[in-house]
Amino acid sequence: MLAMSLVDINLIPRAGEHVFLNSIFNLSAAVMLYYDYALTLPREIQFLWPPHNKQGWFTVACLLNRYLSLLGHLPFVVTFFVPGSFPVCQGLHDYHEVFVMILQVLVGTLCLVRVYALYGRSLRVLVLLLVIGSGSIINASLMLATSRRSGGETVAVISSIHGCNQFTPDIGGRFAALAWTGVLVFDSVIFSLTLYKAFTIGRGIRLLEVIVRDGTMYFSALFIVNLGNILVLRFSPVRSRNDGV
């Protein structure tokens, strides 16, 4: 994990303004997360819950992905409304790094299985995605370790403003951007394979058309979000980078 130091909010130019903006964006993301859950709960019950649906490892993975995101972000939501303290923010920062890595591995696994099924369980597609996915995990681990050794620590700004207001300096942002680049490469391959299937699919197979269409939209959203995350980490000023939802 990255180390963390403590500074006063007045030592960072315009920190109060950026803390306020970050809080708005993070809280908005949390609202979207829980609102989306409420909207899709009836379909979840219809297609995933027993006793009317067969339970298997893929169903468990889908439910785990949903509820890990739902429950795992609760600590961040709570900090929006309570004063932050250095020990709490240190623990939350470390928790956030582990949580994000676990969540990305789980999401990547579901994406891999989906594309693997679209290509008729092709062994070549499976090996390709496993190699790229493993490379992304190794890359992220190396970048985080290198960032820690290079002093890319996170600064916890403790003030009258509620929440854990954490800022990553430029060197930490560069390594974090490189770590997310591996995820972007994996998402790009997933998106390209799905898009290729969308152009080559036979028009008479309605079910497969829907799977490819929805998959293309989903992977497009993943790609855009991860690309935006990399750009923010790499090019934004130190005061704009913040852990959150």
Side-chain angles (χ1 to χ4, degrees), residues 40-225:
T40 55
L41 181 59
R43 285 184 174 271
E44 175 191 318
I45 297 174
Q46 179 183 357
F47 295 112
L48 296 178
W49 283 20
H52 304 294
N53 300 287
K54 182 180 179 181
Q55 302 301 299
W57 72 267
F58 189 75
T59 302
V60 173
C62 290
L63 291 173
L64 183 62
N65 179 51
R66 259 175 84 80
Y67 286 94
L68 186 63
S69 298
L70 202 68
L71 301 177
H73 283 108
L74 281 178
F76 303 106
V77 176
V78 172
T79 61
F80 295 146
F81 306 101
V82 298
S85 66
F86 184 72
V88 171
C89 290
Q90 172 74 73
L92 188 64
H93 176 69
D94 293 343
Y95 161 79
H96 181 263
E97 289 189 346
V98 175
F99 172 70
V100 167
M101 184 169 290
I102 293 175
L103 198 60
Q104 286 298 317
V105 170
L106 182 58
V107 171
T109 300
L110 292 174
C111 292
L112 184 152
V113 171
R114 185 187 185 104
V115 174
Y116 176 56
L118 282 176
Y119 279 81
R121 296 188 294 181
S122 169
L123 181 60
R124 288 186 297 178
V125 171
L126 177 62
V127 171
L128 173 65
L129 295 179
L130 285 176
V131 169
I132 296 175
S134 300
S136 299
I137 295 173
I138 295 172
N139 172 71
S141 302
L142 289 176
M143 290 302 103
L144 290 177
T146 304
S147 178
R148 183 179 182 183
R149 291 195 301 268
S150 302
E153 64 179 10
T154 289
V155 177
V157 180
I158 307 301
S159 69
S160 59
I161 299 178
H162 285 187
C164 293
N165 309 299
Q166 302 166 15
F167 298 83
T168 305
D170 187 62
I171 186 172
R174 289 201 302 268
F175 283 116
L178 289 173
W180 278 99
T181 299
V183 178
L184 185 66
V185 170
F186 180 80
D187 289 344
S188 300
V189 174
I190 290 286
F191 174 70
S192 298
L193 289 172
T194 307
L195 194 61
Y196 175 78
K197 180 61 70 173
F199 283 111
T200 59
I201 186 176
R203 299 298 299 175
I205 311 178
R206 178 58 183 164
L207 176 61
L208 196 55
E209 287 181 8
V210 172
I211 292 175
V212 171
R213 181 200 64 199
D214 294 345
T216 302
M217 295 171 61
Y218 175 70
F219 296 137
S220 298
L222 279 181
F223 178 86
I224 293 172
V225 168

Side-chain angles (χ1 to χ4, degrees), residues 2 4 10 37 56 62 65 72 95 127 132-134 171 174 185 193 198-199 227 231 233 235 238-240 245:
L2 298 182
M4 181 180 288
N10 296 319
Y37 170 77
C62 290
N65 179 51
Y95 161 79
V127 171
I132 296 175
S134 300
I171 186 172
R174 289 201 302 268
V185 170
L193 289 172
F199 283 111
L227 179 60
L231 294 176
L233 287 168
F235 298 109
V238 59
R239 57 187 177 273
S240 296
V245 180

